[in-house]
Amino acid sequence: MSKTVEPACLVPVGKVTRTHGIRGALKIFPYGESLAAQAAGERFFLRSKNGGYCTLTLIGLRVQGRVLVCGFEEIKDVNGAQPFVGEEIFLPEDRLPPVSEGEYYHYRLIGLDIVTVDGESLGVLRKIIETGGNDVYVAEHEGREILIPAIEDVIREIDLERKRMVVDLPEGLVDA
């Protein structure tokens, strides 16, 4: 079940929330749509307790509310599934579906420096909250969090090469 994989090439696509049934299926909360787009026979990677990665081969998946129930060849029963609870599941970057113009995978945005159109630093993008209407970017700046709505009127530029996002915040969004 082990295989050496370069961790820098792996992108988290979901997190195992619990086991499902006696045959060792896993309930996985997906990060976006990449996981659901995979077919039987595809290989996924999970970080193992020793710090390496193990390979799991997808048998099938189905949607159950906000999670996916996934079966893997290498997991035969609930006891074999239990050690994976709480772990993230990864795909190689080259297996992610392409995104449309102006769309970005979250992992590409995390860590960007965020500045206003006036050049004021708002910190670093640390996480993204998915809401029903639009995502919310969470910037960390001088020990506090700044919540930035991910909408076209606010996000003016994303420059992945320069690792920078330029925003035009509505008045009063950030207190002085």
Side-chain angles (χ1 to χ4, degrees):
M1 188 155 60
S2 292
K3 180 178 180 175
T4 303
V5 177
E6 178 58 44
C9 299
L10 296 177
V11 177
V13 293
K15 185 171 187 170
V16 178
T17 60
R18 59 185 300 173
T19 62
H20 179 79
I22 60 172
R23 293 192 181 106
L26 298 173
K27 283 190 172 183
I28 301 173
F29 178 78
Y31 304 154
E33 300 169 9
S34 299
L35 180 59
Q38 304 303 308
E42 297 285 354
R43 293 187 181 226
F44 294 88
F45 300 89
L46 277 92
R47 189 173 291 125
S48 61
K49 302 297 182 198
N50 66 9
Y53 289 85
C54 61
T55 305
L56 295 177
T57 308
L58 185 68
I59 296 171
L61 61 81
R62 64 181 170 86
V63 177
Q64 187 178 68
R66 295 185 57 175
V67 298
L68 300 174
V69 177
C70 300
F72 297 97
E73 283 181 20
E74 296 81 0
I75 303 174
K76 304 297 183 199
D77 58 33
V78 69
N79 294 329
Q82 192 60 44
F84 297 111
V85 173
E87 299 296 328
E88 284 188 305
I89 189 163
F90 298 82
L91 276 175
E93 186 174 27
D94 62 1
R95 288 216 349 251
L96 297 176
V99 293
S100 301
E101 178 75 27
E103 291 184 353
Y104 302 90
Y105 282 110
H106 289 184
Y107 81 94
R108 304 281 317 261
L109 300 176
I110 301 295
L112 293 182
D113 290 319
I114 301 177
V115 297
T116 66
V117 291
D118 299 325
E120 177 188 352
S121 174
L122 296 178
V124 175
L125 181 59
R126 293 292 180 209
K127 66 181 174 182
I128 298 171
I129 301 169
E130 293 185 32
T131 66
N134 57 272
D135 290 347
V136 176
Y137 297 154
V138 181
E140 181 182 299
H141 183 64
E142 298 177 355
R144 66 184 184 125
E145 290 185 341
I146 300 171
L147 303 179
I148 302 168
I151 57 176
E152 194 173 328
D153 290 346
V154 173
I155 309 303
R156 295 300 182 171
E157 177 187 348
I158 295 176
D159 187 339
L160 296 177
E161 287 188 21
R162 293 178 57 201
K163 300 183 186 309
R164 186 174 96 131
M165 178 184 295
V166 179
V167 299
D168 187 8
L169 296 179
E171 190 142 338
L173 189 64
V174 177
D175 298 327

